[in-house]
Structures are given as C-alpha cells and as structure tokens.
Amino acid sequence: MAATNSNPCRIEIVGGDITRLEVDAVVNAANPTLAGGGGVDGAIHAAAGPGLLEECLGLGGCPTGSAKVTGGYDLPARFVIHAVGPIWRGGAGNEEALLASCYRNSLSLAVEHGARTVAFPAISCGVYGFPIVRAAEIAVAEVAAFLETSAEIDLVLMVGFGEETRSALETALASLTGTSGPE
Ligand code: AR6
C-alpha cells in the first residue's frame, strides 16, 4: 500500500476491523499490563493467536502515553504496536497530552522498525471513555504533524469502527486539510 498524489497528507480514514488490514503495523489500544483485554485489544489477540500474548507478557508492561512493539503473529500485519491510552477522567488528568503522545510514540516505533504503513484504532475511545470528537481532532492533528517531519511513513490508516467514530475522524481530517467533511 503506497501513498498516492490524491492523498498528499498520507492519512486515510477507513471503516471495519483493524485485524484484517494489510499494513506493516497495526496499533493496539492496550492497557498498562499488556496482558490483553476486551475491545480492539481482544480482537487483535484473538486474530494474532497465543504467541502474541506470550511475547506481551515478557515486555514488563507499558506506561500510559507510551507504546511497545511485538510481532504480528497470525495477523496480516508484521508488527503490533501496543499503545496505552489514558482513561478519560473529565480532562483534568493530562488526558489530551497523553493521548497525543500515544500517536507520536507509536509512529516513532513504526519508523524504528521500518514499518511504512500503519493503522490506528481510536485509542481510548471505547472502554476508556475519551470523548470521540476531541479524540479524533487530537489523533488526526498529531499524526499529520508527525508525517510532516517524517518521510519514512507512506500511509496512516485511521480506523473508525462504527459510524460515529468514522464520522468524527473524517470531520477532523477535513477541517485539518481544509476540505469539506462528511455530509
Ligand atoms: N477494529 C478497529 N477498531 C475497533 C475494533 C476492531 N476490531 N474493536 C473495537 N474497536 P477499546 P480503549 C474500536 O475499548 O478505549 C481493552 O480492554 C472501538 O470501537 O478497544 O483504549 C484494553 O485492554 C473504539 O473506537 O480501547 C484496555 O483495558 C476503539 O477501538 C481498554 O480496553 C478503542 O476502544 C482500552 O480502552
């Protein structure tokens, strides 16, 4: 999958299940234990197979706002980047900065491992309760800022699992690129 001239910002919003995507790396919305869980974490572990959990358990956990890499096992993706988003507690707990740092750290790890195509779920927007509109703005802005300074990533797919998430991501991207959003 390569960037095209019709997508100069190298960000694409897609729907569907992240575990099916043929990208170099998929990002997981994990928790600090890295021991698996529900939501997208559960889906990634189920699709990757037991080797993923085994590798995760040897990583010693991961602090909120940070990320760690494993292999992709039975996923089409070569790598899983496990990012730990913040739990939404009303916004006074540095949640916005921590969410932004998940995106930044994940992309840095992708570059370090030579992953040129990366897919993100909407980190913290499920069980962790981060308001989706604000989370989408932070996610898109942070990815766009990273891509501006790095030519080593060809394409970032931002996965909107469900209509509300997809629409929030599309609106955030449209307002960043100055085009019109979804109808
Ligand atoms: N593909 C793409 N996106 C998905 C998929 C999928 N297969 N499944 C869910 N989503 P969540 P969090 C979306 O709850 O809020 C876990 O138990 C989902 O609709 O997975 O960061 C972890 O172990 C939502 O938009 O992650 C942690 O304990 C987004 O992924 C905790 O949940 C994130 O929702 C992390 O909570």
Side-chain angles (χ1 to χ4, degrees):
M1 217 176 281
T4 63
N5 291 336
S6 62
N7 185 12
C9 77
R10 293 177 281 149
I11 298 174
E12 209 172 284
I13 314 299
V14 299
D17 180 359
I18 201 168
T19 66
R20 312 295 285 270
L21 295 176
E22 302 208 349
V23 287
D24 294 333
V26 294
V27 177
N28 184 15
N31 64 64
T33 68
L34 300 184
V40 72
D41 196 4
I44 285 174
H45 276 275
L52 180 62
L53 181 59
E54 203 174 305
E55 186 177 353
C56 281
L57 293 178
L59 294 178
C62 180
T64 301
S66 198
K68 290 193 176 174
V69 183
T70 64
Y73 297 86
D74 294 341
L75 293 169
R78 263 192 303 142
F79 302 106
V80 179
I81 299 171
H82 305 265
V84 181
I87 298 173
W88 180 256
R89 295 196 166 92
N94 210 26
E95 293 98 316
E96 296 201 345
L98 288 166
L99 185 66
S101 100
C102 282
Y103 285 91
R104 226 173 22 248
N105 288 328
S106 295
L107 288 172
S108 295
L109 282 174
V111 168
E112 231 173 79
H113 287 78
R116 302 195 67 93
T117 54
V118 182
F120 281 95
I123 298 168
S124 287
C125 293
V127 176
Y128 279 3
F130 206 116
I132 180 59
V133 170
R134 185 65 192 124
E137 289 167 356
I138 292 167
V140 166
E142 206 57 44
V143 170
F146 188 97
L147 292 179
E148 259 182 37
T149 63
S150 168
E152 288 151 300
I153 304 274
D154 291 328
L155 185 64
V156 172
L157 300 179
M158 308 198 66
V159 182
F161 193 71
E163 203 33 57
E164 193 191 2
T165 307
R166 185 174 176 161
S167 159
L169 287 165
E170 278 172 352
T171 301
L173 181 61
S175 83
L176 199 79
T177 57
T179 55
S180 61
E183 294 304 303

